Amino acid sequence: MKGSMTEEQYITALTNNPHGIRNIPNPTEGMQLVCVEQNGMLLQYIKNPTQRVIETALAQSPRAIQYVENPSDDLLISLVKQDWAVLQYIQNPSDEVIRIALDQSGWAIRYITNPSEELQLRAVETQYDALQYIANPSEQAQMAAVKSNYLALRYIQNPSLDILKAAVLQDQQAMRQITNLDLDTVVELLKVSTLILGYVPKQLGLTVDMVRQIITEMIANPTVEDRYVRELVSNPAIGGRQSTWPIDILSLVDVYGSIEAKKIAIDQYLLY
């Protein structure tokens, strides 16, 4: 006779079969605890659980947060600190909860619809590859991601020239990640770094004369970057007659270089 079961008997029964809680109309706190201690997700079958029951359920299964009505921010923050993926089960999380989740993992951005640029930046600065979980990343978020790691190019559909420049500056191997490389783009990228020469496919039709012309233009500029000239002088792809790009950099600098370019080139040459 069910009606006459004592609380103790109920608890024994629920210890063996915690799912039985869904058939008990007004379970005591003791009965509720026995169930959620074993399976936190059973919180969904408990009407008006006490704070203790909620905490016990969440300790057992943080995902049970989806069954807590109006959870406090403090509670949500403590949960995402333990496991950022819990963000998936939080309805309308506050900015603070989102930020804390993103600090744990940039990937948490996948659970946020239309994240602001600030949140996108926070995500990619934590992990560059969080970019793959942002539907329409802003130019600034793309930029932050490629500056952190050129492999972020994999997750950008039509990168702008500025993004490509930032990527090759981060690492010339970024050239391998550019899907629609054309001659115009190569010419622009050469103005950023000559180290990309080793990655230019022959069929694009880049000629030694074109390369010489770009270099001449760059070294004639009084505000040429120190880094650019140093890379140029010590670039193994350019130089001797045997090289793919037989250009005598030092004589080019001598004839066309600005005073600044000459100083940097000589300094680098002596180091080299």
Side-chain angles (χ1 to χ4, degrees), residues 55 57-63 74-87 100-101 104:
E55 281 166 16
L58 292 175
Q60 204 283 323
S61 174
R63 288 184 307 148
D74 287 348
L75 176 61
L76 297 177
I77 286 167
S78 71
L79 283 179
V80 293
K81 275 183 177 168
Q82 288 168 52
D83 180 4
W84 58 268
V86 172
L87 192 65
I100 288 168
Q104 310 301 312

Side-chain angles (χ1 to χ4, degrees), residues 40-102:
M41 299 300 274
L42 292 172
L43 192 64
Q44 63 189 297
Y45 303 114
I46 299 173
K47 281 187 189 132
N48 309 316
T50 63
Q51 197 55 35
R52 191 175 162 203
V53 170
I54 291 172
E55 281 166 16
T56 308
L58 292 175
Q60 204 283 323
S61 174
R63 288 184 307 148
I65 189 67
Q66 59 194 301
Y67 307 118
V68 178
E69 278 181 48
N70 308 318
S72 73
D73 248 21
D74 287 348
L75 176 61
L76 297 177
I77 286 167
S78 71
L79 283 179
V80 293
K81 275 183 177 168
Q82 288 168 52
D83 180 4
W84 58 268
V86 172
L87 192 65
Q88 182 180 3
Y89 304 102
I90 300 174
Q91 288 180 332
N92 308 317
S94 71
D95 273 2
E96 196 186 354
V97 170
I98 292 170
R99 282 194 199 102
I100 288 168
L102 288 175

Side-chain angles (χ1 to χ4, degrees), residues 6-40:
T6 63
E7 181 181 18
E8 223 169 291
Q9 288 171 312
Y10 268 121
I11 284 176
T12 307
L14 290 169
T15 305
N16 296 323
N17 176 23
H19 279 269
I21 192 81
R22 57 174 94 182
N23 307 317
I24 300 171
N26 295 304
T28 63
E29 186 180 55
M31 296 179 199
Q32 295 174 27
L33 285 170
V34 162
C35 299
V36 295
E37 273 165 8
Q38 294 178 74
N39 182 348

